Amino acid sequence: MLSTLSKTSRLSQARSFCLTSQAAAAKDAKSKAPVESDSFVMNLFRGKAVSEQVFPYPLKLDEERKEMLRMFSVPLVKMLQEINDPTKNDETSEIPREVLEKFAELGTFGVLVPPELEGSGFNNCQMARTAEIMGAHDIGFGIVMGAHQSIGYKGILLEGTEAQKKKYIPDLAAGRKFAAFALTEPTVGSDASAVKTRAELSADGKHYILNGGKIWISNGGFADVFTVFAKTPVKQADGSTKDKMSAFIVERAFGGITSGPQEKKMGIKGSNTTEVHFDNVKVPVENILAKEGDGFKVAMNILNNGRFSIPAVCTGTMKHCIQKTVEHITTRVQFGKKLEEFGNVQEKLIDMTSRLYATESVTYLLASNMDRGIKEYQLEAAIGKIIASENAFHVCDEAIQLHGGMGYMRQTGLERVLRDVRILRIFEGANDVLRLFISLTGAQYAGKHLTAQASGIGGIIGLAVQRVTGAKTGSNFEAVVDSSLQESAQSLDKQIGLFGQTVQGLLMKHKKGIIDRQYELIRVANAAISIHSSIAVLSRASYAIKNKSASADFERKIASFYVDGAMRNANKNLVEASNEAENAKLVATIDSLSRQICGNGGLPLQHPIDL
């Protein structure tokens, strides 16, 4: 679950994402028209405001599901407060098995599993609320839950046969057995397709013989069932054999599986993280997930589907940090005033709150769309993971700052949260890689449409005119955004148009070379994050106003505040991405300095004392 920080691995996965898209594009080229998408973020790369999946805000739990959630949440919070001890878990680097068993009785380990397989039968919005509660109390415990059900056995739910589901899911959903997701290896972090673990078919054709080792596996020390990714020789159409990644359901009971000691981590210490080694493990052929060679697809489906749980955890964490901050600044007196009266404190509090509001809006927009059967959400999920993990760290850091020296003390509890939340920017897709994934995937989609649009002299001229004059986004914000937020909506619409122009310019300039333009790609992704989070915020606030929410006026003001700042950030990033002359000079300087440092084996600086 933990991924490596290797720069080369990150670049490799970004390339693999793009090359996968290029392969798909080659097939699509045979058809006259490019494939259309209803995803807001995909169409953003064309400068189009396709917002049917955003407006109206799609979060709609019926009364039965709301009641289910209430009946579940109350005992969950009670157990987290009275039975689980996050400070002790952090100190001992362990969550006691008896605590896990108590939580299993609530159904917390099979939240999304249907009742007929002994699960709670929740939908994704209910799952998000559950993860949010965990994030507010103990992130390490939340990781145990997530590693178990969001990715550990998620492959069986998504890709498993009916026989596989019936055999494995009931025990896993009930917490009688635990699962882990085994992908990462010493040389495989973000570059998921480069696994070295191998699975060879036995002579009698009844088993795969699995050999290899995995590192940083969450739940690795006690998991009973593993989703393992390994290279297998796959016959090609021409009769040749090629190594491809496949996915397997592997039981510890098969034998030949050993786990290393608990890793010494910066945070999430209560979660179990170990190496896992496979030595001639005999895996029945019926335990393959999907089919031979589909392992990369299976892994990406699992990660995309489970990625919304991190934003949900972060939402709960931010609420916890903000609540502790409010309690402190409304009682702490300095210079004859309560801290809440100082302008800088107020500014920090509202920044923290606006980040929470944006994260929560993105999270439940994503979960709601998943619940209504929308399949294409990989870019929205990536944005949710990035914005949530970065906002959570920022909010916790500011909470510590506003507590002063007390915030640094262990007894306040914030230092543990800061250590815990830091990992969320790394695993389940390092944010650096996800930014490149967003930009390259979106650019590929826009590029296919540009190619189709540019066919013929008229099309080329049209594109040139569009680059100079801009193009309409096709938005209907005046109809779907509340009238009190129209100024924010107009600002958003302007940046959507600029975004499309910027991407078009980069594609026309660099063509396939765009894959290596990381300076521009990162800024394009940053702008996409600002724009998508802003439209989620406007949708949610409009929904609250329309339904006369008790917090409608507050939501209107915090939405306006957030969008104003986000659009400034989007504009800054798009301007930087478009500035060809300055970029060339700056990137050359960065490249030169980096080569000097690395070529020297460290900093080449002479200390001023030695001059």
Side-chain angles (χ1 to χ4, degrees):
M1 193 170 181
L2 298 173
S3 54
T4 65
L5 300 176
S6 163
K7 181 180 178 182
T8 55
S9 292
R10 293 177 178 184
L11 177 58
S12 182
Q13 186 175 7
R15 288 179 180 275
S16 71
F17 278 131
C18 188
L19 292 173
T20 300
S21 298
Q22 288 175 343
K27 293 181 180 179
D28 292 338
K30 296 179 181 178
S31 60
K32 293 183 179 179
V35 176
E36 296 293 336
S37 170
D38 292 325
S39 160
F40 171 78
V41 181
M42 288 287 267
N43 283 288
L44 172 61
F45 281 79
R46 299 177 59 205
K48 302 297 181 184
V50 178
S51 58
E52 286 76 11
Q53 294 181 0
V54 181
F55 294 100
Y57 199 68
L59 178 54
K60 291 181 177 66
L61 286 182
D62 59 32
E63 285 305 314
E64 182 180 357
R65 287 199 173 274
K66 287 180 180 178
E67 182 59 25
M68 285 172 61
L69 192 55
R70 281 191 289 268
M71 291 176 64
F72 179 84
S73 299
V74 172
L76 176 59
V77 171
K78 182 179 175 66
M79 292 184 78
L80 283 167
Q81 292 174 341
E82 298 179 3
I83 295 177
N84 184 58
D85 186 342
T87 301
K88 184 178 179 181
N89 296 344
D90 183 66
E91 292 172 349
T92 62
S93 296
E94 180 185 21
I95 299 173
R97 190 65 181 233
E98 56 269 24
V99 173
L100 295 176
E101 290 171 355
K102 283 285 186 182
F103 278 83
E105 294 173 6
L106 286 178
T108 53
F109 294 119
V111 177
L112 291 173
V113 176
E116 58 268 25
L117 293 175
E118 298 192 39
S120 298
F122 280 15
N123 64 15
N124 289 293
C125 286
Q126 292 169 304
M127 172 64 177
R129 182 67 183 114
T130 303
E132 186 183 331
I133 292 170
M134 297 302 300
H137 291 87
D138 187 348
I139 298 173
F141 202 150
I143 297 304
V144 173
M145 286 182 58
H148 174 65
Q149 61 188 321
S150 292
I151 59 174
Y153 66 77
K154 181 59 71 72
I156 306 175
L157 273 179
L158 294 177
E159 306 284 352
T161 64
E162 288 305 309
Q164 289 171 341
K165 291 176 184 178
K166 289 178 181 178
K167 180 178 180 180
Y168 290 106
I169 296 299
D171 282 344
L172 294 167
R176 292 187 291 270
K177 292 183 178 180
F178 286 89
F181 181 84
L183 174 61
T184 304
E185 299 180 6
T187 58
V188 179
S190 296
D191 187 4
S193 63
V195 297
K196 303 297 183 185
T197 298
R198 291 193 63 80
E200 301 273 0
L201 197 61
S202 62
D204 61 10
K206 293 181 179 180
H207 296 85
Y208 286 94
I209 308 303
L210 179 67
N211 285 282
K214 304 290 184 176
I215 61 171
W216 302 333
I217 305 304
S218 293
N219 298 353
F222 62 83
D224 306 284
V225 179
F226 300 84
T227 299
V228 181
F229 297 87
K231 282 290 178 64
T232 56
V234 180
K235 283 190 177 181
Q236 305 299 294
D238 61 3
S240 63
T241 299
K242 183 178 181 180
D243 280 351
K244 290 188 175 182
M245 188 164 73
S246 299
F248 300 90
I249 305 168
V250 182
E251 298 180 39
R252 189 180 291 273
F254 290 163
I257 300 177
T258 56
S259 300
Q262 165 78 305
E263 297 284 358
K264 298 184 184 302
K265 307 189 294 286
M266 173 183 177
I268 58 167
K269 293 183 178 182
S271 68
N272 179 271
T273 308
T274 70
E275 294 184 3
V276 180
H277 298 276
F278 306 93
D279 184 17
N280 290 322
V281 179
K282 294 175 70 175
V283 183
V285 291
E286 58 267 24
N287 275 38
I288 194 166
L289 278 172
K291 59 183 180 180
E292 275 192 331
D294 278 355
F296 185 79
K297 175 185 172 184
V298 171
M300 293 304 103
N301 284 346
I302 292 170
L303 292 172
N304 282 329
N305 187 273
R307 194 161 275 146
F308 78 92
S309 62
I310 285 182
V313 166
C314 290
T315 296
T317 300
M318 283 187 272
K319 288 180 178 179
H320 169 73
C321 293
I322 291 171
Q323 183 60 39
K324 287 187 74 71
T325 298
V326 171
E327 291 168 1
H328 179 72
I329 66 175
T330 55
T331 55
R332 176 72 165 168
V333 176
Q334 292 286 279
F335 307 106
K337 290 183 179 181
K338 290 181 179 180
L339 293 184
E340 65 173 309
E341 299 178 58
F342 291 97
N344 182 245
V345 173
Q346 295 171 349
E347 183 180 353
K348 286 179 181 292
L349 176 63
I350 300 311
D351 173 65
M352 293 160 70
T353 303
S354 69
R355 287 171 183 263
L356 162 66
Y357 190 76
T359 301
E360 190 173 49
S361 301
V362 168
T363 299
Y364 284 94
L365 175 62
L366 173 60
S368 299
N369 278 334
M370 291 172 68
D371 282 336
R372 60 178 179 158
I374 288 170
K375 302 298 183 185
E376 189 178 20
Y377 53 78
Q378 67 268 32
L379 298 191
E380 285 81 358
I383 285 175
K385 194 268 185 181
I386 293 170
I387 192 173
S389 58
E390 294 179 359
N391 280 343
F393 188 87
H394 178 87
V395 166
C396 185
D397 186 55
E398 288 286 60
I400 290 173
Q401 188 69 22
L402 288 172
H403 275 77
M406 184 59 69
Y408 200 70
M409 298 298 116
R410 179 169 291 189
Q411 68 190 74
T412 305
L414 290 171
E415 61 85 26
R416 171 179 53 80
V417 175
L418 190 72
R419 287 187 287 108
D420 286 350
V421 83
R422 181 59 184 87
I423 187 59
L424 301 180
R425 287 152 60 189
I426 299 173
F427 67 19
E428 292 195 31
N431 287 8
D432 316 70
V433 172
L434 289 179
R435 280 186 163 86
L436 296 175
F437 169 57
I438 290 165
S439 290
L440 290 171
T441 303
Q444 183 70 30
Y445 176 73
K448 288 187 285 186
H449 281 269
L450 282 174
T451 300
Q453 188 178 347
S455 58
I457 296 298
I460 295 174
I461 293 173
L463 286 175
V465 172
Q466 183 177 308
R467 279 280 298 143
V468 175
T469 63
K472 292 184 178 180
T473 66
S475 70
N476 64 335
F477 293 154
E478 67 282 352
V480 295
V481 177
D482 186 78
S483 59
S484 64
L485 293 168
Q486 282 299 313
E487 186 176 340
S488 296
Q490 291 171 14
S491 177
L492 172 64
D493 194 56
K494 181 179 179 181
Q495 293 308 312
I496 292 172
L498 179 60
F499 190 100
Q501 286 181 276
T502 302
V503 170
Q504 180 181 319
L506 291 171
L507 287 170
M508 293 176 72
K509 169 67 177 177
H510 301 292
K511 300 180 176 61
K512 289 183 178 180
I514 190 72
I515 191 173
D516 293 315
R517 305 296 304 187
Q518 292 197 1
Y519 183 86
E520 291 87 354
L521 290 172
I522 292 297
R523 282 152 182 79
V524 166
N526 287 339
I529 293 165
S530 293
I531 291 170
H532 177 62
S533 59
S534 291
I535 198 170
V537 160
L538 290 178
S539 177
R540 177 187 174 186
S542 296
Y543 180 74
I545 294 168
K546 181 179 179 180
N547 287 277
K548 296 180 172 56
S549 165
S551 60
D553 185 59
F554 181 86
E555 292 190 51
R556 175 184 58 78
K557 289 187 285 188
I558 203 72
S560 179
F561 177 87
Y562 179 81
V563 174
D564 184 47
M567 291 306 93
R568 287 198 301 270
N569 286 335
N571 185 265
K572 176 178 179 292
N573 277 289
L574 292 173
V575 169
E576 288 181 1
S578 302
N579 200 325
E580 184 181 334
E582 285 191 15
N583 290 357
K585 182 179 179 181
L586 183 57
V587 170
T589 301
I590 291 171
D591 179 73
S592 173
L593 290 171
S594 177
R595 289 178 184 275
Q596 277 186 266
I597 295 170
C598 294
N600 188 62
L603 290 172
L605 294 172
Q606 186 175 3
H607 197 282
I609 288 178
D610 298 329
L611 293 178

